[in-house]
Amino acid sequence: MSFKLASSPHTRKNNKTAFVMLTVMSACIPGILTQAYFFGFGVFIQLAICMSVALFTEYACLKWRNKPIKRSLTDNSALLTGLLLAVSIPPLAPWWIGAIGTLFAIALVKQAYGGLGQNIFNPAMAAYVLLLVSFPLSMTSWLPASSLMVIDLNFYDTLSTILTGYTSQGYSLEQLRSGIDGLTMATPLDAIKTNLLAGYTYNETLSLPIFDNGIGKGWFYVSLAYLVGGLYLLKKRIIKWQIPVSFIGTLGFLTLVTQAVNADGTGSMLLHLTSGATCFAAFFILTDPVSAATTNKGRLIYGALIGFLVFIIRQFGGYPDAVAFAVLLANMTVPLIDYYTQPKVFGHGDK
Amino acid sequence: MESLLEKIKAGVLWDFPGGVHPPQRKKLSNQTEISLLPLAEHYWVPVKQHIGAVNHILVASGDKVKKGQALTAFNDKMSVPVHAPTSGTIGKIEPHVSAHPSGIPALSIQIIADGLDEWCEISPKIHFRTLPKSDVIGFIQAAGVAGLGGAAFPTHVKQTPNQPCEILLINGVECEPYITSDDRVMREHADEVIHGIEVLAYILEPKLVVIAIEDNKPEAINAMEAACAGKANFVVRVLPTKYPAGGEKQIIQVITNMEVPKGKISADIGVVSQNVGTVYAIYKAIYLGEPLIDRVVTVTGENIETAGNYRLPIGTPIAHVLNHVKHDNQHNERVIMGGPMMGFTVLNKQVPVTKITNCLLIPTQQELPDAPPEQACIRCGECADACPASLLPQQLYWHSKAKEHDKAQAYNLFDCIECGACAFVCPSDIPLVQYYRQTKAEIREANEEKIKAEKAKERFETRNARLERDKQERLDKHKRSAELRKQSLNTDQSAQDKIAAAMARAKAKKAQKNSTNDITKTDQNAEPNTLENTTLENSAVEKNAVESNISQSNSPIKNKAQEAIARAKAKREAKLNNNASTEEQNTTAPPSHKVESDLDHSPNEPVEADPIKSKAQAAIARAKAKREAKLKNADATATNSQKASASDSASQKEAEPKPENQRAATLTHDSTIDSNNDEIASTVSPIKLKAQAAIARAKAKKAAKLAEESKPAAHSSAESDKTTLEPKTAADQTDEQVDEHLQTSTTNEPTEISEAMYQTELEIDPIKSKAQAAIARAKAKRQQKMAEQASVTQPENAKAEANIQFDAEAKSRAKAAIERAKARRDQANQLAHGGETGSSSITNTTTASSLDSESGNSEDENANQVKAAKVKAALAKAKAKRQKS
Ligand code: SF4
Ligand code: SF4
């Protein structure tokens, strides 16, 4: 009688890829809930659109490429991409924004490169950039926090806006975006950028109703919620500390320095760190293992590089937020970073 | 170093990068004491259980052995013997399924236990301190102690480091999950382990002895601490549990913060490490005098109800273990030898326990599920974080999968210790270690291949150089002889010679028609020819000379070369003789009167051809065979009777000096023969001695040829006799003759066949030998045919005899007429076909033989050889056909 043969090790840690992805998604929950609390149900609808398109696209691609469907489809990576994109686009953006973005992310950014693990760019961020460049208006149509909104939106209104562009009462997205002071609302970073360009000082800008005690209303809490999720992932050892720390550290340091030098010309460090996509990106985008650096030293460099790029673009570029661009740029440098940051191998002496 | 020792003593610990925390599951097996199992019926002891050389087996099947008796010798430094695990009889000594992932059969000795378990004589060396260290090391080696931790590195080798030993590290870490054998040994035999350490300490004189134990073995720690209480330079170090802390390199890093440099061993940095089990074995070897014949094995897994540690004799089949532990028989579909991280699944139940078997793990499916299918690498970097060697397993995997061996090596694949930590953490279930193993094997193989290829290339180049040299030499000689020839042509009346040759050829054709008459005369003139016999004797003597000459040349290569030369020469001469003799016969028209004497000595032929097993003779035999083949060509050109006289003239010519032959050839043949000639001449020329030898050889061959030639001659004379004498009713005479011929031919036939076979056997080149076989066959056929002819003649003659008294004269006449007609038709046929094909085949053979001699020199010109062989084969076939018709 022969025994069954197998290769060592015969025991394995119980964190499967699918589980890792699932954990990351669950870590997004606090952030999503907070987002929904401040900006309405739109985020849920966007999630539904993006995640289902993601699944469908993944399925179609796998089928077309003759790859094992079940195994790849159940690794949850497509769902995660859909999720990350959904929370990045404005809640009331038309449905096709999310659909096009996800299709692009899965089919072109991921599968065209050979599927999971082979893509150079972070799919969600690549799609985001594509959408931002192609549909700048829709992609920047963020709503004010619900408390600042004139018109209350119920779920049905939200759905109808996303699908048709109008609420059931016939309000357009533009009308919805008008704040209580009658001004079109934007994200805090947006507002700062616009106002600074218009000649206001930073402190003057902060007196706008969108800012609450010097921090962006709503955005601050959303960022906090993502931070919580990120810490959870760190604790679970799903992500490594190097990237978030070096990213936040670099961005924080740079904004702190500029703030000290030119207090009127730039947002505070706190604002930079708690506005826009900073926290979300630090824990959920930058740490995407596939497109990030893999060595420990490399991760530090990678995070710092993105922090630096974000700062540069925010400070000097035309776009209010810059995480997506910075990530894509950094993605391109990953092979180089990996190559030059190989750890010293055991017994090879000091290098 | 001093400060390091201080630090170690002070309890400083370091860490190694990476590492994982698989579930320990040690409680399964470390709760009970080490116990024994009943004796097995038989044991299979693998002969080689260590890294190093294979040993010489001391016992034979059927021998009685006592427990502890050495089964193998240990001659060199790197080997250790194996011993009988119990008393009994030696059964089979044959390859047996091995304790290896592949289960590849390894030479093993079966011991059929007699149940007495009687020890052989053992001699404890308790007072080892009074003995020289080298003796103690010798005892350890003789006891067969090899590293019980994993690699089975012969222990005594570690005790003779080049560097003074600073730290003796006793590895009680046992980091693999499940395994508890060292744990139990330390708990139950702490004092013995300390004694073992003392033996090592006596040999190595370390400054510090560190006993390293993971913190998940508190009892063992306590026991060891108690045992070394009061010993100044013995410290017990408790390591945090982390896999693979027990790896030699890792433990050294944790204890000393030193890395064993790549390509070095730990002794090079002043650390010698030994496993607890090994130390215990050393204790037994020195204090009790017991060789290593058993070891403590953890038998565990959720499938085993009575999981625990057992003292198992080396060689115990797993089946025996399974028979004696309570387990779920239904689910033991997997047996892992070793732990779950680095252990391997064994092939079947017959696999024996060896010196490195520390654990038999029989898990349930839920406990250690089969590896799920591999998924895409998500570059999570988990593997890199887990790797204790700080490798980038992900890149290694990438390049391994892509078969980019050089890149995998650039990422230091060979620094991988195959600990399995990376595969353990990989979320995509990629069997990383398996990839590495495979790639490593492939790279090793490729390297070996490369070495082989390089060697082959070297060989090829030297051979090419040699060939080039040979060719150059040949060309030089060619040139020289060409000049010689020119000179001789200038001095000689070469033109006249040529004309004469042409005329001779013309005459030869005419002479063919008259030959029958010649033969008649020949018979009538028949008289014993003493000259012929003497030449024959001479030739025999000469042949001996050749033999001795060849055998004297001691180098085999030379021998071969000479053989080749001999072959070539033989061929050429055969041809030469045929032509020359034909010519000469025609030009000088010698009286052909020696047929009878030829006949007389032809029965001698078998005697001559008696197989004496020397290469020289083989060569001669081959040469003869070939020449004979050529002779058949001659047969075709000349009628039988002509040949008879031709051979005569040749025999006459024999006394003549060789150069004339050469000249004749030069004159009558084209350049191929010339080159042959030159070649042989040149090979012969350099040294006088050699030249003489060659001449002697040539003569010998000619003589041999003559002897053989006489056979066909005899046949032909028989035929002609028959045709000419029968009408005169000289029946008796004819009968006698025919009988004789018959004898000759029949006796010759088997001899020749056997000769041909002999020669075929000896032939190195199979293609060539085939061709020769074909020739031999053709020959055989022809002779058979002749014999038939002869025998046909005989009964007919007999009939004629019977009828002669009566009115049969007319009948016999009629028959004779028929015979005559037949004979004539035969002759005519032969003339018609053979004359043409024969002559053309002569040219063919010429080329063939020249090619052959070429190839004899350059053994690898296969194409040529094949061609030559084919030509020969074709010739042989053609001949055979012709003769049939
Ligand atoms: S198996 Fe090799 S590559 Fe994997 S962790 Fe161990 S040493 Fe590193
Ligand atoms: S652990 Fe597995 S999936 Fe992660 S990088 Fe290593 S090989 Fe790839």
Side-chain angles (χ1 to χ4, degrees):
Chain A
M1 171 198 143
S2 277
F3 292 126
K4 213 191 300 180
L5 297 180
S7 172
S8 70
H10 307 280
T11 176
R12 283 161 186 281
K13 208 172 160 186
N14 217 0
N15 59 336
K16 302 299 156 212
T17 299
F19 174 76
V20 171
M21 300 288 172
L22 201 68
T23 316
V24 175
M25 284 196 274
S26 58
C28 283
I29 290 173
I32 293 169
L33 290 179
T34 325
Q35 230 176 323
Y37 174 78
F38 283 105
F39 303 103
F41 304 105
V43 64
F44 293 126
I45 297 163
Q46 297 294 355
L47 278 173
I49 293 170
C50 289
M51 287 166 84
S52 50
V53 171
L55 266 189
F56 174 77
T57 315
E58 180 98 334
Y59 172 81
C61 287
L62 289 172
K63 180 117 193 152
W64 184 62
R65 290 179 58 216
N66 254 335
K67 295 274 164 181
I69 289 171
K70 185 156 173 282
R71 229 198 296 162
S72 301
L73 214 54
T74 51
D75 64 16
N76 295 337
S77 62
L79 282 181
L80 181 61
T81 302
L83 182 147
L84 295 177
L85 183 63
V87 298
S88 307
I89 59 181
L92 288 188
W95 64 269
W96 46 263
I97 290 278
I100 289 176
T102 316
L103 193 77
F104 175 76
I106 301 290
L108 281 176
V109 185
K110 185 174 156 194
Q111 291 292 345
Y113 279 94
L116 182 64
Q118 317 267 334
N119 46 309
I120 297 170
F121 298 108
N122 183 319
M125 286 302 103
Y128 180 84
V129 166
L130 171 90
L131 295 173
L132 189 64
V133 172
S134 312
F135 315 104
L137 188 65
S138 305
M139 283 302 284
T140 49
S141 301
W142 285 89
L143 287 178
S146 338
S147 57
L148 296 176
M149 278 173 66
V150 181
I151 307 149
D152 269 347
L153 279 177
N154 59 20
F155 182 80
Y156 179 69
D157 283 335
T158 314
L159 186 63
S160 132
T161 312
I162 288 169
L163 294 181
T164 66
Y166 297 94
T167 63
S168 47
Q169 282 89 30
Y171 291 110
S172 74
L173 187 60
E174 273 315 297
Q175 288 167 313
L176 290 176
R177 290 185 67 213
S178 303
I180 32 176
D181 55 358
L183 285 170
T184 300
M185 299 302 282
T187 62
L189 283 174
D190 228 349
I192 290 169
K193 179 129 246 164
T194 321
N195 283 2
L196 285 179
L197 285 177
Y200 295 93
T201 65
Y202 175 61
N203 280 329
E204 284 166 342
T205 311
L206 283 188
S207 61
L208 291 171
I210 191 176
F211 298 104
D212 192 8
N213 300 327
I215 45 174
K217 184 142 194 168
W219 289 101
F220 176 71
Y221 299 102
V222 173
S223 286
L224 275 190
Y226 280 117
L227 179 65
V228 170
L231 293 177
Y232 169 74
L233 288 183
L234 270 183
K235 188 172 175 295
K236 283 248 132 193
R237 294 170 158 265
I238 299 287
I239 59 173
K240 305 276 153 34
W241 59 268
Q242 285 94 342
I243 292 177
V245 166
S246 77
F247 169 61
I248 293 174
T250 309
L251 185 60
F253 173 76
L254 288 172
T255 47
L256 197 67
V257 169
T258 36
Q259 195 188 4
V261 171
N262 179 11
D264 275 352
T266 183
S268 72
M269 180 185 88
L270 192 63
L271 181 97
H272 270 290
L273 295 188
T274 57
S275 302
T278 310
C279 260
F280 170 66
F283 294 100
F284 295 91
I285 299 292
L286 270 61
T287 52
D288 163 38
V290 176
S291 55
T294 54
T295 62
N296 283 338
K297 239 189 284 170
R299 287 180 188 135
L300 287 174
I301 295 172
Y302 179 76
L305 178 67
I306 296 178
F308 176 72
L309 288 171
V310 166
F311 171 77
I312 295 287
I313 299 172
R314 279 188 185 172
Q315 199 68 21
F316 307 110
Y319 286 95
D321 206 348
V323 171
F325 293 104
V327 167
L328 291 192
L329 286 174
N331 283 166
M332 290 191 276
T333 67
V334 161
L336 211 62
I337 294 175
D338 275 353
Y339 186 79
Y340 284 105
T341 56
Q342 289 175 41
K344 181 191 83 69
V345 173
F346 187 96
H348 280 243
D350 297 313
K351 267 188 195 167
Chain B
M1 206 39 145
E2 287 309 316
S3 65
L4 173 67
L5 293 181
E6 285 311 310
K7 275 188 193 167
I8 294 171
K9 275 188 189 165
V12 180
L13 278 182
W14 286 267
D15 194 11
F16 64 92
V20 290
H21 298 273
Q24 290 296 306
R25 322 223 51 177
K26 302 221 180 211
K27 289 267 172 324
L28 274 177
S29 56
N30 69 2
Q31 303 301 315
T32 51
E33 287 196 355
I34 300 169
S35 47
L36 288 170
L37 291 182
L39 272 184
E41 277 167 26
H42 50 79
Y43 295 87
W44 280 97
V45 182
V47 169
K48 183 175 179 293
Q49 294 183 42
H50 57 273
I51 293 179
V54 189
N55 291 322
H56 171 67
I57 297 174
L58 296 175
V59 291
S61 194
D63 285 5
K64 288 261 179 247
V65 287
K66 291 268 172 67
K67 182 178 184 176
Q69 184 177 331
L71 300 177
T72 61
F74 54 104
N75 352 19
D76 79 85
K77 189 174 168 281
M78 273 303 278
S79 70
V80 290
V82 293
H83 301 84
T86 185
S87 59
T89 321
I90 302 292
K92 296 174 195 142
I93 299 178
E94 61 179 26
H96 184 75
V97 58
S98 68
H100 184 269
S102 65
I104 186 165
L107 189 61
S108 307
I109 301 170
Q110 186 192 36
I111 288 137
I112 301 157
D114 58 10
L116 302 173
D117 211 24
E118 256 181 322
W119 272 100
C120 65
E121 206 169 303
I122 49 177
S123 51
K125 308 271 183 321
I126 300 172
H127 307 294
F128 63 88
R129 278 178 231 267
T130 60
L131 301 169
K133 288 173 185 173
S134 57
D135 283 8
V136 181
I137 293 171
F139 293 140
I140 294 175
Q141 181 178 17
V145 181
L148 301 187
F153 191 81
T155 299
H156 64 278
V157 179
K158 276 191 181 179
Q159 306 325 129
T160 41
N162 312 321
Q163 202 92 25
C165 171
E166 304 279 343
I167 299 168
L168 173 59
L169 192 53
I170 305 303
N171 187 345
V173 175
E174 205 162 52
C175 59
E176 271 254 16
Y178 287 96
I179 307 177
T180 56
S181 56
D182 288 351
D183 184 7
R184 284 312 310 190
V185 168
M186 285 188 286
R187 284 196 214 185
E188 296 174 34
H189 302 284
D191 289 332
E192 288 91 326
V193 171
I194 296 295
H195 285 320
I197 296 172
E198 277 167 348
V199 175
L200 287 179
Y202 167 68
I203 300 168
L204 291 167
E205 296 174 345
K207 296 206 175 90
L208 187 67
V209 175
V210 181
I211 302 158
I213 309 171
E214 260 184 357
D215 58 9
N216 59 1
K217 293 181 259 299
E219 296 91 344
I221 295 167
N222 288 339
M224 291 308 290
E225 268 173 350
C228 48
K231 296 198 185 295
N233 55 351
F234 278 51
V235 285
V236 175
R237 259 304 81 85
V238 181
L239 273 56
T241 300
K242 179 164 90 165
Y243 178 86
E248 188 181 50
K249 291 176 176 176
Q250 278 65 42
I251 194 181
I252 290 172
Q253 196 173 13
V254 172
I255 298 292
T256 69
N257 197 26
M258 290 192 289
E259 288 183 13
V260 180
K262 183 181 172 64
K264 298 254 172 103
I265 58 167
S266 63
D268 294 335
I269 56 169
V271 182
V272 172
S273 79
Q274 287 294 358
N275 170 270
V276 164
T278 316
V279 176
Y280 184 48
I282 291 171
Y283 156 79
K284 286 217 215 169
I286 300 298
Y287 277 80
L288 308 179
E290 293 180 10
L292 179 56
I293 53 161
D294 61 17
R295 65 157 299 149
V296 179
V297 179
T298 307
V299 181
T300 185
E302 282 180 3
N303 236 340
I304 307 284
E305 274 175 54
T306 50
N309 285 284
Y310 297 88
R311 190 183 300 280
L312 297 179
I314 306 294
T316 311
I318 289 173
H320 176 73
V321 180
L322 288 179
N323 287 342
H324 289 87
V325 294
K326 268 196 193 159
H327 69 288
D328 180 356
N329 234 330
Q330 300 303 307
H331 294 103
N332 58 348
E333 64 213 331
R334 239 187 329 167
V335 173
I336 298 164
M337 201 174 256
M341 293 299 287
M342 288 183 82
F344 55 89
T345 48
V346 298
L347 201 63
N348 60 37
K349 279 187 184 180
Q350 298 314 313
V351 173
V353 166
T354 67
K355 290 179 184 175
I356 58 164
T357 308
N358 48 6
C359 178
L360 292 174
L361 175 56
I362 299 107
T364 60
Q365 189 53 236
Q366 298 88 311
E367 190 183 3
L368 296 179
D370 291 339
E374 166 183 349
Q375 279 178 298
C377 166
I378 55 168
R379 289 173 39 94
C380 63
E382 290 284 340
C383 45
D385 292 338
C387 180
S390 299
L391 297 168
L392 292 176
Q394 176 212 141
Q395 318 283 358
L396 291 177
Y397 155 69
W398 208 257
H399 296 308
S400 294
K401 204 175 174 186
K403 305 246 176 260
E404 295 166 335
H405 292 167
D406 43 343
K407 283 194 186 151
Q409 273 172 291
Y411 276 98
N412 301 305
L413 176 64
F414 281 92
D415 286 301
C416 168
I417 56 170
E418 296 182 15
C419 66
C422 51
F424 173 76
V425 295
C426 176
S428 288
D429 293 316
I430 301 169
L432 295 162
V433 183
Q434 201 180 326
Y435 277 106
Y436 306 153
R437 280 201 199 107
Q438 197 175 337
T439 307
K440 279 184 189 173
E442 278 167 13
I443 291 173
R444 279 193 204 109
E445 212 170 282
N447 283 347
E448 268 161 33
E449 225 43 1
K450 216 159 118 198
I451 292 166
K452 255 193 235 160
E454 256 157 36
K455 274 192 191 145
K457 200 177 158 210
E458 225 169 81
R459 269 204 306 276
F460 177 75
E461 271 161 8
T462 43
R463 197 184 69 88
N464 266 1
R466 198 188 68 228
L467 288 184
E468 191 56 38
R469 217 172 41 237
D470 287 356
K471 201 174 157 195
Q472 200 51 48
E473 274 170 22
R474 227 164 32 231
L475 281 178
D476 287 350
K477 279 161 194 165
H478 197 147
K479 227 195 252 162
R480 240 180 294 145
S481 54
E483 271 160 20
L484 274 176
R485 209 159 50 238
K486 228 185 246 165
Q487 277 177 4
S488 67
L489 272 179
N490 286 343
T491 48
D492 265 353
Q493 315 106 321
S494 57
Q496 282 178 18
D497 280 0
K498 267 185 191 166
I499 292 163
M503 277 166 70
R505 269 198 297 279
K507 267 186 207 162
K509 271 177 203 158
K510 237 189 250 167
Q512 280 170 5
K513 286 167 196 166
N514 301 329
S515 55
T516 20
N517 295 329
D518 280 357
I519 289 294
T520 325
K521 270 186 219 157
T522 307
D523 277 319
Q524 281 161 352
N525 294 340
E527 54 181 11
N529 192 320
T530 43
L531 176 73
E532 197 63 38
N533 287 334
T534 46
T535 32
L536 190 75
E537 271 165 30
N538 282 343
S539 73
V541 171
E542 274 161 0
K543 206 180 211 166
N544 283 337
V546 174
E547 271 167 37
S548 58
N549 183 39
I550 292 173
S551 54
Q552 266 165 16
S553 56
N554 39 10
S555 109
I557 303 161
K558 227 183 194 170
N559 249 339
K560 264 191 193 163
Q562 280 184 333
E563 252 177 76
I565 292 162
R567 266 201 304 276
K569 244 188 290 174
K571 267 180 221 152
R572 187 178 47 89
E573 271 185 301
K575 215 169 355 136
L576 265 183
N577 283 336
N578 293 336
N579 292 305
S581 55
T582 321
E583 264 167 49
E584 243 167 79
Q585 183 234 332
N586 288 320
T587 42
T588 57
S592 40
H593 57 274
K594 285 160 198 155
V595 174
E596 292 293 337
S597 66
D598 278 349
L599 269 175
D600 281 345
H601 75 245
S602 49
N604 286 338
E605 178 62 23
V607 181
E608 251 180 51
D610 256 352
I612 301 159
K613 264 128 208 164
S614 79
K615 269 197 179 171
Q617 268 208 337
I620 291 160
R622 259 197 308 278
K624 251 192 275 174
K626 265 179 211 153
R627 203 181 46 227
E628 266 192 306
K630 300 283 143 53
L631 267 180
K632 307 299 160 5
N633 291 337
D635 286 355
T637 26
T639 58
N640 285 336
S641 56
Q642 240 183 339
K643 211 178 61 205
S645 45
S647 60
D648 274 357
S649 56
S651 68
Q652 279 184 336
K653 239 190 98 186
E654 193 172 327
E656 289 172 17
K658 197 179 150 108
E660 214 180 292
N661 271 341
Q662 278 182 357
R663 227 181 58 207
T666 323
L667 290 175
T668 43
H669 287 281
D670 58 335
S671 59
T672 27
I673 298 170
D674 276 0
S675 68
N676 261 341
N677 233 342
D678 293 339
E679 196 183 309
I680 286 144
S682 59
T683 40
V684 168
S685 65
I687 308 157
K688 235 184 179 177
L689 257 172
K690 263 193 187 171
Q692 278 175 346
I695 290 163
R697 261 197 310 274
K699 270 189 206 159
K701 266 170 224 149
K702 217 191 292 167
K705 191 206 75 193
L706 254 185
E708 279 177 285
E709 245 180 315
S710 63
K711 283 174 287 164
H715 296 314
S716 64
S717 71
E719 268 179 76
S720 44
D721 280 353
K722 179 183 72 200
T723 39
T724 46
L725 292 181
E726 262 181 297
K728 291 174 193 165
T729 64
D732 289 342
Q733 200 189 340
T734 323
D735 269 356
E736 250 174 49
Q737 265 191 332
V738 166
D739 270 342
E740 223 172 316
H741 297 325
L742 196 65
Q743 263 176 14
T744 314
S745 56
T746 41
T747 44
N748 276 341
E749 198 181 297
T751 329
E752 272 191 14
I753 290 170
S754 65
E755 206 180 294
M757 269 155 57
Y758 179 46
Q759 152 211 342
T760 313
E761 268 167 32
L762 280 169
E763 259 316 327
I764 311 143
D765 190 339
I767 304 162
K768 228 185 193 172
S769 69
K770 260 188 203 166
Q772 281 185 337
I775 292 163
R777 266 201 303 281
K779 232 192 303 177
K781 265 184 211 159
R782 200 174 61 100
Q783 277 183 339
Q784 214 179 334
K785 213 196 92 187
M786 282 190 169
E788 268 164 23
Q789 265 185 348
S791 57
V792 166
T793 329
Q794 195 187 25
E796 269 169 6
N797 283 337
K799 252 193 206 165
E801 206 179 355
N803 293 338
I804 203 156
Q805 293 158 349
F806 305 100
D807 58 335
E809 211 180 289
K811 262 186 197 169
S812 69
R813 260 188 201 168
K815 251 181 220 167
I818 291 165
E819 289 292 334
R820 228 176 9 246
K822 258 193 225 163
R824 261 183 216 145
R825 201 185 51 213
D826 273 355
Q827 279 183 353
N829 268 345
Q830 279 184 352
L831 269 177
H833 292 262
E836 277 176 306
T837 48
S839 59
S840 68
S841 60
I842 278 179
T843 33
N844 277 345
T845 342
T846 312
T847 30
S849 64
S850 71
L851 284 169
D852 217 359
S853 61
E854 283 277 349
S855 55
N857 282 327
S858 52
E859 49 198 60
D860 275 81
E861 288 175 33
N862 272 333
N864 281 350
Q865 244 175 18
V866 169
K867 230 191 273 169
K870 271 187 190 159
V871 169
K872 267 200 220 166
L875 265 180
K877 255 183 248 162
K879 254 185 273 170
K881 262 185 213 157
R882 199 179 55 224
Q883 260 141 15
K884 256 188 216 160
S885 70

